[in-house]
Amino acid sequence: MDHAVLRAVAAELAEGLSGQPLADAAQLDAHRFLLRFEAPPFPRLHVAIHPRLSTIHLARGIKAPAPTELASELTRRLEGRRVAGVEKPRSERLLVIRFEDGQSLVAELMGKASNLLLLDGEGRIVRFARSHLGAFRRPEPGVPYEPPPAPSRWSAPDAESIGEEAFRDLLARDPEGGPARAAWLADSIPAMSALAAREVEHAAREGEDPWKAFAALRERLGRRPPEPVLYAPAGAGEGGGPEEADPLDPRRLFAFPVPLRHARDMNLVEQRFVTVNEAEAAATALMLRHLAYAGLRQSLSALLRQEARRGREAAGALQQDLARARDAAAMDRRRGELILAGLAKASRRGASVRVVDHYDPEGKEIEIPIDPKLDLKANAEKCFRSARRAGRALAIIPARLEAARERAGRAEVALARLEEARTRAALEALERELQAEGIVKALRREDREEVGRAAAYVPVREFVTRDGFTVVAGRSAADNDQLTFKVAAPHDLWLHAAGYPGAHVIVRNPRRLPELPETTVREAAALAAFLSQGKDEKELDVHVAWRRHVRKGRGMSPGMVVLKRHRTVRVAPALPRAH
């Protein structure tokens, strides 16, 4: 997040959140959080710590999903605490929200190094959202929090306090010479706004004095109230459009506290706002929409490419089976006939027999492999049986081969249609068509998508109960985890055989009924028993729980869960009718 934008956002938050008691914290996905406050005007603070979207701003219209373990912990520790202050340290891209009891939330907004941390009254780390893989600055509970070091090539004064002499000295050290380059300026001065540096570079290229351009911009940024602006490519505004299909470069989508001349020269559309928070929220909404399109398109493309590859591989294997069946049908029938015709003169030696080849014009002898435990007539019959099996395969394989080729062809056609889907709505419409046509045999969870990540599809087996409820089941331990925690909604019903490894079974409950028919519950329980390693038992106990009561413990292996609340039904393993 840009330093200048973050400073302006922090100033507005300090005014709007001071004295506000926190109602609760919600986790929108792995990288986004929502803090809700309980006094009028009931502000909501959105925090994103994704590498491609690190931001903080007030937001409207964001619905909070079911609580997660981390969000519940933040709520437990901060609920009812009033905000004592909001500040942005000068040299870091982070924002600190301090509460009246001494606790604080630190939002580090630094791209790949972004994080959200809860500190106690003595500044020690209590909880954090992300654990960096490297040892450098990896957060540890109970350890005093240390902010990131400010990057500076020349150890120049801070951007808010640097004077003309130091600024011109930095320009003189510019390895390129001449007008200051934006990247070099932003890297050389602590807390220098990257967008401000680009504005200074633009002014220098236009022949203006870089120091005067910088000083004038710094003076404008200090004025109150600001003049917030959102800059975006034409067509990327509310209402969508084909631009969703094109990558949205962060250098061409940004908010800023004051208008920028260089942005106008980039053919960007300018939209004015009352507050910097509103401008940043609008930029976030646009980026989220484009990232959501890209994530769904990537997932659908991968799914269809996989389907096409499987169809081609199946067709190749069937083509080989067909050739082998043709050879076997002719060869085994011929061998059986030769054994029977040569019974009188056959020379048997262990696992083979030598007979005259009556199909050879010269009448040469050939050696035929046999089962030494059987007599020659039985071996001849065995050859005939093998020939008949090959004949049956010859009757079946062509249809299967055609189906495999059709499977690959349908996936290839769907991939071409995917190229034409230029909006999220078009992608979702195509996804529904592919599901209905059976080309896509997987499910996607829609209520908690993660920014910048491809949508998770889970291969499933699908059934329908006599009451009309759709039941889906995972195929592996990893699929079970995905099905339960990425596809199933909190109001869906979850079932698993007690005491046996097996599939997670989900009964879809889109109408959010408080109870499902007992006949459906027992059918789904019978399926869970059938899809377990206890399927040969006469009866099995099956655990039944709402999905919201199913948890994944830290360090648990794939497929293992903890049930917060459940009941048990005893059923005989059985399959419902396939969907």
Side-chain angles (χ1 to χ4, degrees):
M1 194 173 180
D2 185 82
H3 276 291
V5 178
L6 187 53
R7 279 192 289 268
V9 166
E12 292 178 355
L13 293 180
E15 181 179 349
L17 295 183
S18 292
Q20 274 279 356
L22 184 74
D24 61 18
Q27 188 168 2
L28 303 175
D29 60 37
H31 301 94
R32 294 195 300 137
F33 300 83
L34 188 68
L35 303 181
R36 299 188 288 189
F37 297 88
E38 60 184 33
F42 309 106
R44 295 184 171 203
L45 186 64
H46 177 235
V47 184
I49 56 171
H50 189 275
R52 296 178 63 187
L53 181 65
S54 52
T55 183
I56 185 169
H57 55 77
L58 293 173
R60 298 176 182 174
I62 299 179
K63 295 181 180 180
T68 62
E69 190 271 335
L70 176 56
S72 298
E73 177 71 3
L74 293 176
T75 299
R76 185 181 70 81
R77 289 182 173 273
L78 298 175
E79 184 178 10
R81 274 47 169 202
R82 295 181 181 274
V83 175
V86 179
E87 61 188 56
K88 177 202 176 294
R90 277 194 168 191
S91 297
E92 290 89 26
R93 284 183 296 159
L94 59 86
L95 189 142
V96 182
I97 304 173
R98 304 194 185 280
F99 293 87
E100 59 184 2
D101 64 348
Q103 295 186 94
S104 57
L105 274 176
V106 179
E108 297 181 336
L109 306 169
M110 300 173 292
K112 293 181 179 180
S114 297
N115 211 344
L116 181 66
L117 306 100
L118 173 65
L119 311 183
D120 64 15
E122 298 180 3
R124 293 187 298 259
I125 298 173
V126 178
R127 288 298 304 266
F128 50 85
R130 297 178 61 203
S131 179
H132 303 300
L133 296 178
F136 178 69
R137 293 200 69 250
R138 182 169 55 197
E140 298 288 347
V143 175
Y145 172 73
E146 291 289 340
S152 175
R153 184 184 299 169
W154 304 109
S155 299
D158 188 273
E160 294 183 4
S161 59
I162 189 172
E164 180 177 359
E165 183 177 351
F167 186 87
R168 293 194 183 280
D169 180 57
L170 278 174
L171 292 184
R173 302 185 194 187
D174 182 352
E176 293 293 316
R181 294 180 302 157
W184 184 85
L185 257 183
D187 186 50
S188 300
I189 304 178
M192 177 68 175
S193 162
L195 291 170
R198 281 155 59 182
E199 184 76 350
V200 172
E201 179 191 26
H202 177 81
R205 293 186 184 280
E206 293 292 316
E208 297 182 30
D209 180 86
W211 162 252
K212 291 182 179 179
F214 171 73
L217 180 58
R218 186 168 63 179
E219 188 273 333
R220 288 168 60 208
L221 287 170
R223 295 175 190 168
R224 293 290 179 269
E227 306 172 68
V229 183
L230 169 65
Y231 291 101
E238 293 300 327
E243 291 73 20
E244 282 186 15
D246 301 322
L248 196 58
D249 186 351
R251 290 176 59 91
R252 293 180 55 78
L253 171 67
F254 52 87
F256 203 70
V258 297
L260 296 169
R261 285 190 303 170
H262 83 270
R264 293 170 180 169
D265 291 346
M266 294 168 65
N267 296 320
L268 300 179
V269 175
E270 181 179 292
Q271 186 177 354
R272 300 295 183 100
F273 289 86
V274 176
T275 69
V276 181
N277 273 270
E278 291 174 343
E280 183 66 15
T284 298
L286 284 172
M287 182 59 76
L288 283 172
R289 203 176 73 238
H290 281 256
L291 290 176
Y293 170 89
L296 179 54
R297 189 183 185 284
Q298 179 184 345
S299 293
L300 272 174
S301 178
L303 202 63
L304 290 171
R305 287 198 305 271
Q306 182 185 57
E307 183 71 9
R309 186 185 70 251
R310 287 176 175 173
R312 289 193 299 269
E313 290 175 351
L318 286 167
Q319 189 71 50
Q320 293 178 3
D321 290 345
L322 185 61
R324 283 194 294 266
R326 285 172 180 157
D327 292 343
M331 179 71 71
D332 289 339
R333 184 179 299 106
R334 179 177 176 178
R335 285 175 173 176
E337 291 172 350
L338 290 176
I339 291 173
L340 288 180
L343 285 177
K345 298 180 180 180
S347 176
R348 181 169 181 169
R349 295 178 182 176
S352 65
V353 62
R354 292 188 66 82
V355 296
V356 175
D357 185 359
H358 298 289
Y359 293 95
D360 186 344
E362 299 179 7
K364 295 180 179 179
E365 288 189 344
I366 64 169
E367 191 168 296
I368 299 174
I370 61 172
D371 185 346
K373 297 179 182 179
L374 302 177
D375 61 27
L376 291 181
K377 286 187 176 180
N379 270 289
E381 182 55 35
K382 184 178 180 181
C383 289
F384 292 138
R385 286 198 302 271
S386 178
R388 287 193 293 270
R389 283 196 301 269
R392 289 193 294 270
L394 286 174
I396 296 171
I397 289 176
R400 295 175 59 193
L401 177 59
E402 181 61 29
R405 287 172 174 166
E406 182 183 358
R407 173 184 177 184
R410 292 168 68 194
E412 295 287 355
V413 170
L415 278 168
R417 294 170 62 191
L418 185 65
E419 294 296 324
E420 300 172 359
R422 305 280 293 171
T423 67
R424 175 67 183 265
L427 282 180
E428 291 175 339
L430 176 59
E431 180 188 39
R432 289 191 294 271
E433 290 180 31
L434 298 178
Q435 293 275 13
E437 295 169 9
I439 298 175
V440 171
K441 298 178 181 179
L443 296 177
R444 169 174 64 90
R445 181 172 182 176
E446 299 179 2
D447 63 333
R448 184 179 287 174
E449 293 183 342
E450 295 194 14
V451 55
R453 177 176 294 180
Y457 281 95
V458 185
V460 295
R461 290 165 284 190
E462 188 168 310
F463 306 87
V464 175
T465 69
R466 283 172 290 181
D467 298 312
F469 287 85
T470 298
V471 181
V472 291
R475 293 181 177 272
S476 67
D479 290 345
N480 283 339
D481 274 358
Q482 290 288 313
L483 177 61
T484 296
F485 299 108
K486 295 295 183 182
V487 172
H491 45 269
D492 288 343
L493 199 65
W494 179 94
L495 304 96
H496 188 274
Y500 289 96
H504 290 194
V505 172
I506 300 294
V507 182
R508 306 311 295 267
N509 182 21
R511 291 179 291 168
R512 304 191 179 203
L513 299 175
E515 297 290 339
L516 299 186
E518 190 62 20
T519 51
T520 284
V521 174
R522 295 192 69 82
E523 276 190 71
L527 173 63
F530 184 86
L531 297 178
S532 76
Q533 290 186 12
K535 62 181 293 185
D536 295 328
E537 301 290 334
K538 289 185 177 180
E539 288 188 333
L540 284 183
D541 287 335
V542 175
H543 293 324
V544 181
W546 293 113
R547 161 59 189 86
R548 59 180 174 271
H549 296 148
V550 182
R551 298 285 186 268
K552 187 76 176 177
R554 182 171 295 179
M556 279 188 167
S557 58
M560 299 293 291
V561 299
V562 175
L563 301 181
K564 185 178 178 182
R565 191 183 308 165
H566 73 281
R567 69 185 177 103
T568 302
V569 297
R570 191 164 183 83
V571 294
L575 277 173
R577 58 193 176 97
H579 180 57

